[in-house]
Amino acid sequence: QLQESGPGLVKPSQTLSLTCTVSGGSIRSGGYYWSWIRQHPGKGLEWIGYIYYTGITDYNPSLKSRVTMSLDTSKNQFSLKLSSVTAADTAVYYCARSPGYRHAIDIWGQGTMVTVSS
Amino acid sequence: DIQMTQSPSSLSASVGDRVTLTCRASQGIRNDLGWYQQKPGKAPKRLIYAASSLQSGVPSRFSGSGSGTEFTLTISSLQPEDFATYYCLQYHSYPLTFGGGTKVEIK
């Protein structure tokens, strides 16, 4: 299971920080790819990026300049940081798992709503 | 980036209807496609992977087909719990991209 956590409100120009806690297995096992995906209110889904259990990352070019992902294997968590946020970053953020590089996402967290507003 | 186009964007149907949703890729993606169901306020749930493989626990009235650039999700007999929005996802290449969704509503 996956569970997102983090502030629900972030001020413009600040950094959005979210954590996904993985339960039921080690984040280092199985060759999984751990992704962040977001969904603007009433809109479709946008893949933000992934982090592999080795720490390798790949980000969506549309967000690459502002995104950083990291792992904390001691806590079985992975994290997202999105810098210089604006109102356009207001969305539900999901963490998710893919069983391999070219495999469909199979497990999603429940999602957490983040609003960017002063 | 590979663009995924779903059609229709919405449809109205009755319980018991057979429903077919379409997803088209801007370039060939072999069978690297998944289908997801999302209900309001919930995370997406995987129904189909590898274009036609049914996720464990998903009712057999759901089926997927296609390869290359054209894919379909069929619900053979629509049930009340199937009213939701459906998304396709290509995972052939990164960045991963989703279709815009098809909202299935009650007629």
Side-chain angles (χ1 to χ4, degrees):
Chain A
Q1 291 186 351
L2 307 179
Q3 177 69 58
E4 305 88 351
S5 58
L9 180 65
V10 181
K11 289 182 167 50
S13 80
Q14 293 191 341
T15 296
L16 177 160
S17 295
L18 296 174
T19 296
C20 183
T21 300
V22 178
S23 58
S26 171
I27 200 168
R28 291 178 296 180
S29 68
Y32 296 118
Y33 287 72
W34 306 97
S35 284
W36 288 96
I37 294 156
R38 70 181 182 179
Q39 186 169 35
H40 295 102
K43 302 295 185 182
L45 298 156
E46 179 182 29
W47 178 78
I48 299 170
Y50 74 66
I51 185 163
Y52 190 45
Y53 78 102
T54 59
I56 292 172
T57 57
D58 190 15
Y59 305 139
N60 193 320
S62 66
L63 297 166
K64 189 172 186 174
S65 63
R66 299 194 291 130
V67 172
T68 304
M69 295 183 186
S70 59
L71 285 172
D72 186 338
T73 55
S74 66
K75 295 181 179 178
N76 227 32
Q77 296 175 334
F78 62 103
S79 298
L80 167 71
K81 291 188 186 299
L82 182 65
S83 64
S84 305
V85 297
T86 69
D89 295 308
T90 294
V92 175
Y93 287 76
Y94 295 98
C95 58
R97 185 189 82 173
S98 298
Y101 182 75
R102 196 167 275 135
H103 286 75
I105 291 170
D106 61 348
I107 295 175
W108 299 67
Q110 65 183 31
T112 188
M113 179 70 199
V114 178
T115 301
V116 178
S117 174
S118 55
Chain B
D1 300 3
I2 297 175
Q3 307 302 317
M4 304 301 293
T5 303
Q6 287 187 244
S7 60
S9 56
S10 66
L11 66 88
S12 295
S14 301
V15 172
D17 283 354
R18 180 182 182 89
V19 170
T20 299
L21 285 57
T22 298
C23 179
R24 289 187 174 85
S26 61
Q27 63 190 76
I29 59 170
R30 299 190 308 190
N31 68 336
D32 297 330
L33 184 109
W35 287 97
Y36 297 80
Q37 178 192 67
Q38 187 179 36
K39 296 183 178 179
K42 300 293 186 182
K45 169 189 169 185
R46 191 172 77 171
L47 302 175
I48 300 284
Y49 61 96
S52 60
S53 295
L54 189 67
Q55 174 71 28
S56 175
V58 172
S60 59
R61 63 181 179 271
F62 291 92
S63 64
S65 65
S67 183
T69 60
E70 288 221 14
F71 301 87
T72 59
L73 173 70
T74 299
I75 309 172
S76 60
S77 178
L78 202 61
Q79 297 302 301
E81 60 269 30
D82 300 338
F83 292 96
T85 300
Y86 294 83
Y87 293 95
C88 60
L89 163 68
Q90 72 79 21
Y91 49 91
H92 181 72
S93 68
Y94 285 81
L96 302 184
T97 47
F98 294 86
T102 294
K103 186 173 184 179
V104 177
E105 299 176 301
I106 301 173
K107 182 181 283 185

